[in-house]
């Protein structure tokens, strides 16, 4: 039982490291939707979608490779090789990208200044990938959490300052210092400047890691790590297509006059899926090192099966709870009523992110069996579904088509991973209960939202019924845990 207590303790800390920064980030959603019209919020969403793609390229799967080899090879060699590799690639990107900044600005149809900010953000974030991974591998979740929270707190502070207080300070003293700093209509630029400051400060805190490393690149080890990481990179690119390219598809497949506004509405309402993303991300951060470190245990498959079942139980409860109270949450997170017409996508995107979380739990089989190529193929299959359905459905249903494409892609990935996992790395999942919890929570959520929306008597009753169901099916396990505690 101490094994599970240690696991849940680390997961709780990583959860704080994920939840608190996301809460700070969530505060940006009401800030942006309150300060910016749909078109400008749509433009920011498009730029962030492009940044997500380059984040994956610059990481090129090295973080996952680091965890894979850290527990099986010489730790110092793995650390120095991965850090030197990412340092050289990040510096090379920075130089080349800045040289071609005008080309990128023209290709993205945006300001050269915005491109420069984004290049620096991407390079700075890439440089802290291995230092953060090292903290996780060495079991330092508290310091990891502190840095993650600090990064987003700084970003939030400067966003609030630039978007709210700076205009007020300039207005109060027309001849003062703040007038020379403030640029009216430069809100998007201020958002990127805030990100640059936060990323730079994070790197400065983690900079000692670069001075402590031996600065040696083991070529043989690096080749092995790259062989492992390239499929992860391909899978990451496919993931970015699934996660963010719907904004790019909306931009190109909808009429120019409404595209950015539709993107803004869709992106704002999509944020309500963040509660599921928080849970799944926190769980994955705590679980991933655990999976690798306990892979050689005889009872590892049984442990993975139990963990996955309880992930589905808690995830199903979150799904139902967020859907039932989504119309209350929208008032907090999405301020302008003009954004609320996109609320119809909320149940679909939450379910989609739940499927993604389950997929990450199921994907342990190809990571542990060194079959990351199959993981890449699964992600590519999801990307194909995303592309085909977006091109087919957006002209008909606009962003609702993107939501359908997202849930279809992640559902496809989840099912393929489960089927192939049974073949290559059998894990005794309790599929009867897992499928029951999943199916019942989805049905209750969809029935409530599309037929009894804002009928909280029905919604609360559905939540109570699901809670009773968990107790009825899991009471023996719960009672056993309570007796041991």
């Amino acid at each position: 039982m101490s094994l599970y207590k240690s696991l849940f303790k680390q997961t709780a800390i990583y959860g704080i490291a994920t939840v608190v920064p996301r809460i700070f980030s969530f505060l940006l959603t009401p800030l942006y939707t309150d300060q910016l019209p749909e078109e400008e919020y749509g433009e920011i969403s498009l730029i962030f979608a492009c940044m997500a793609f380059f984040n994956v390229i610059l990481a090129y799967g090295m973080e996952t490779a680091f965890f894979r080899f850290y527990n099986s090879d010489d730790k110092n060699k793995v650390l120095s090789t991965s850090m030197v590799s990412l340092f050289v690639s990040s510096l090379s990107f920075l130089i080349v990208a800045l040289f071609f900044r005008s080309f990128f600005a023209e290709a993205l149809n945006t300001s050269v200044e915005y491109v420069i900010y984004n290049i620096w953000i991407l390079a700075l974030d890439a440089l802290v990938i291995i230092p953060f991974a090292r903290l996780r591998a060495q079991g330092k979740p508290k310091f990891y959490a502190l840095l993650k929270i600090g990064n987003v707190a700084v970003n939030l502070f400067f966003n609030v300052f630039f978007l709210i207080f700076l205009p007020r300070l300039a207005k109060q003293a027309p001849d003062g210092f703040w007038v020379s700093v403030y640029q009216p209509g430069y809100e998007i630029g201020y958002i990127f400047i805030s990100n640059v400051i936060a990323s730079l400060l994070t790197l400065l805190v983690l900079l000692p890691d670069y001075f402590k490393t031996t600065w040696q690149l083991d070529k043989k080890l690096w080749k092995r790590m790259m062989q492992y990481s390239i499929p992860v990179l391909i899978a990451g690119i496919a993931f970015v297509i699934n996660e963010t390219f719907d904004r790019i598809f909306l931009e190109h497949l909808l009429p120019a006059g409404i595209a950015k506004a539709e993107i803004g509405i869709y992106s704002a309402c999509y944020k309500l899926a963040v509660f599921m993303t928080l849970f799944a991300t926190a769980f994955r951060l705590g679980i991933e090192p655990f999976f690798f470190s306990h892979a050689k245990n005889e009872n590892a498959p049984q442990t993975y099966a139990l963990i996955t079942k309880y992930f589905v139980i808690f995830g199903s409860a979150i799904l139902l709870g967020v859907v039932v109270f989504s119309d209350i949450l929208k008032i907090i997170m999405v301020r302008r009523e003009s954004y609320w017409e996109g609320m119809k996508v909320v149940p679909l995107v939450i379910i989609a992110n739940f499927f993604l979380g389950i997929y990450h739990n199921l994907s342990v089989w190809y990571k542990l069996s060194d079959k990351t190529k199959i993981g890449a193929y699964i992600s590519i299959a999801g990307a194909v579904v995303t592309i085909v359905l977006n091109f087919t459905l957006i002209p008909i249903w606009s962003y609702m088509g993107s939501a359908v494409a997202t849930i279809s892609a992640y559902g496809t990935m989840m099912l393929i991973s489960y089927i192939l996992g049974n073949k290559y790395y059998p894990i005794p999942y309790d599929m009867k209960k897992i499928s029951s919890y999943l199916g019942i929570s989805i049905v209750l959520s969809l029935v409530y939202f599309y037929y009894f929306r804002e009928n909280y008597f029905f919604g609360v009753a559905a939540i109570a019924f699901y809670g009773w169901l968990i107790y009825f099916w899991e009471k023996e396990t719960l009672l056993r845990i309570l007796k041991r505690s």
Side-chain angles (χ1 to χ4, degrees):
M1 206 64 196
S2 60
L3 179 67
Y4 293 110
K5 286 183 179 179
S6 176
L7 167 64
F8 287 120
K9 180 180 178 181
Q10 284 207 30
T11 301
I13 297 174
Y14 284 123
I16 293 171
T18 304
V19 171
V20 175
R22 289 295 180 94
I23 290 174
F24 287 164
S25 294
F26 300 158
L27 295 176
L28 294 175
T29 301
L31 175 64
Y32 293 162
T33 54
D34 186 47
Q35 295 288 320
L36 305 175
E38 296 92 321
E39 293 81 2
E40 290 189 16
Y41 187 63
E43 183 175 355
I44 293 173
S45 299
L46 276 173
I47 294 173
F48 282 150
C50 294
M51 286 185 68
F53 173 79
F54 281 103
N55 274 324
V56 172
I57 297 295
L58 289 172
Y60 51 89
M62 189 56 70
E63 180 185 30
T64 303
F66 171 84
F67 283 118
R68 171 63 183 85
F69 289 91
Y70 191 79
N71 290 300
S72 59
D73 285 66
D74 185 296
K75 289 180 169 55
N76 290 328
K77 286 186 178 180
V78 173
L79 179 62
S80 62
T81 297
S82 55
M83 286 189 71
V84 170
S85 178
L86 274 170
F87 178 82
V88 172
S89 60
S90 300
L91 187 61
S92 300
F93 164 79
L94 181 64
I95 294 171
V96 173
L98 286 175
F99 183 79
F100 288 102
R101 59 189 181 275
S102 298
F103 169 79
F104 287 127
E106 186 177 348
L108 295 172
N109 192 27
T110 189
S111 166
V112 174
E113 285 183 83
Y114 298 166
V115 169
I116 293 173
Y117 294 145
N118 285 309
I119 290 170
W120 277 103
I121 294 168
L122 289 166
L124 292 170
D125 288 348
L127 288 171
V128 298
I129 290 173
I130 297 303
F132 269 124
R134 174 177 166 271
L135 292 176
R136 290 171 59 195
Q138 294 182 347
K140 297 180 180 179
K142 292 181 180 178
F143 189 47
Y144 175 95
L146 181 64
L147 289 179
K148 286 291 184 180
I149 293 170
N151 174 278
V152 185
V154 169
N155 185 31
L156 174 63
F157 170 81
F158 281 102
N159 266 278
V160 172
F161 173 76
F162 285 130
L163 297 182
I164 296 179
F165 291 104
L166 183 58
R168 293 178 183 177
L169 291 170
K171 185 177 181 180
Q172 289 173 0
D175 299 321
F177 167 76
W178 297 112
V179 173
S180 61
V181 177
Y182 176 59
Q183 295 185 45
Y186 197 64
E187 287 80 7
I188 295 177
Y190 286 137
I191 290 170
F192 293 138
I193 290 173
S194 300
N195 277 271
V196 171
I197 295 171
S199 296
L200 178 60
L201 291 177
T202 302
L203 176 61
L204 290 176
V205 173
L206 291 170
L207 201 58
D209 280 26
Y210 282 92
F211 294 106
K212 293 176 184 177
T213 189
T214 56
W215 285 94
Q216 293 179 350
L217 189 143
D218 187 313
K219 293 182 179 179
K220 291 183 179 179
L221 175 61
W222 183 78
K223 289 180 181 179
R224 290 168 56 211
M225 294 181 75
M226 289 301 294
Q227 287 175 352
Y228 185 88
S229 66
I230 292 301
V232 178
L233 167 62
I234 296 171
I237 293 173
F239 172 78
V240 169
I241 292 174
N242 293 328
E243 183 68 15
T244 63
F245 269 38
D246 48 5
R247 279 75 164 177
I248 297 173
F249 293 138
L250 287 167
E251 167 73 3
H252 289 90
L253 296 175
L254 291 177
I258 65 170
K260 282 192 170 59
E262 294 284 277
I263 295 168
I265 292 169
Y266 175 62
S267 299
C269 292
Y270 197 106
K271 291 291 185 181
L272 290 175
V274 76
F275 298 97
M276 181 62 71
T277 306
L278 281 175
F279 166 68
T281 303
F283 199 88
R284 180 175 60 82
L285 288 172
I287 285 295
E288 194 170 65
F290 174 85
F291 279 158
F292 285 117
S293 61
H294 291 81
K296 296 180 181 179
N297 290 2
E298 290 184 5
N299 63 340
Q302 289 76 16
T303 302
Y304 300 156
L306 186 63
I307 289 171
T308 299
K309 186 181 81 167
Y310 281 99
F311 174 85
V312 172
I313 290 174
F314 289 119
S316 296
I318 292 170
L319 164 64
L320 184 56
V322 174
V323 169
V324 168
F325 296 108
S326 58
D327 284 296
I328 295 175
L329 294 170
K330 76 181 182 186
I331 299 173
I332 301 171
M333 293 186 62
V334 186
R335 294 295 182 86
R336 290 193 186 189
E337 292 187 17
S338 56
Y339 286 93
W340 293 356
E341 68 178 68
M343 283 295 294
K344 56 190 176 183
V345 305
V346 168
L348 299 184
V349 296
I350 297 175
I351 295 170
N353 281 274
F354 189 20
F355 286 170
L356 179 62
I358 296 173
Y359 164 73
H360 282 308
N361 276 272
L362 297 176
S363 68
V364 62
W365 69 266
Y366 69 72
K367 292 180 180 179
L368 295 177
S369 58
D370 288 344
K371 296 184 182 296
T372 51
K373 288 183 180 179
I374 297 180
Y377 297 149
I378 295 172
S379 296
I380 291 170
V384 170
V385 172
T386 295
I387 294 170
V388 171
L389 290 184
N390 269 289
F391 271 100
T392 304
L393 299 179
I394 285 177
I396 304 171
W397 294 340
S398 185
Y399 51 75
M400 191 66 176
S402 293
V404 172
T406 302
I407 193 173
S408 300
Y410 291 150
T412 299
M413 292 167 60
M414 176 183 68
L415 291 174
I416 294 175
S417 184
Y418 171 71
I419 294 169
L420 293 180
N422 275 340
K423 178 180 179 181
Y424 293 104
Y425 193 98
I427 295 176
Y429 296 114
D430 186 351
M431 289 308 300
K432 183 178 179 180
K433 283 190 176 179
I434 288 176
S435 57
S436 296
Y437 284 124
L438 184 61
I440 291 170
S441 64
I442 290 175
V443 169
L444 288 174
S445 298
L446 295 179
V447 168
Y448 166 79
F449 192 87
Y450 294 113
Y451 295 97
F452 295 93
R453 187 175 171 186
E454 295 191 81
N455 182 339
Y456 293 108
F457 177 81
F458 180 89
V460 172
I463 294 172
F465 168 74
Y466 186 75
W468 172 84
L469 201 64
I470 294 173
Y471 174 76
F472 181 75
W473 283 345
E474 305 298 328
K475 60 182 177 182
E476 292 183 5
T477 303
L478 293 171
L479 290 173
R480 192 162 57 247
I481 292 173
L482 289 173
K483 286 180 180 179
R484 291 185 181 181
S485 61

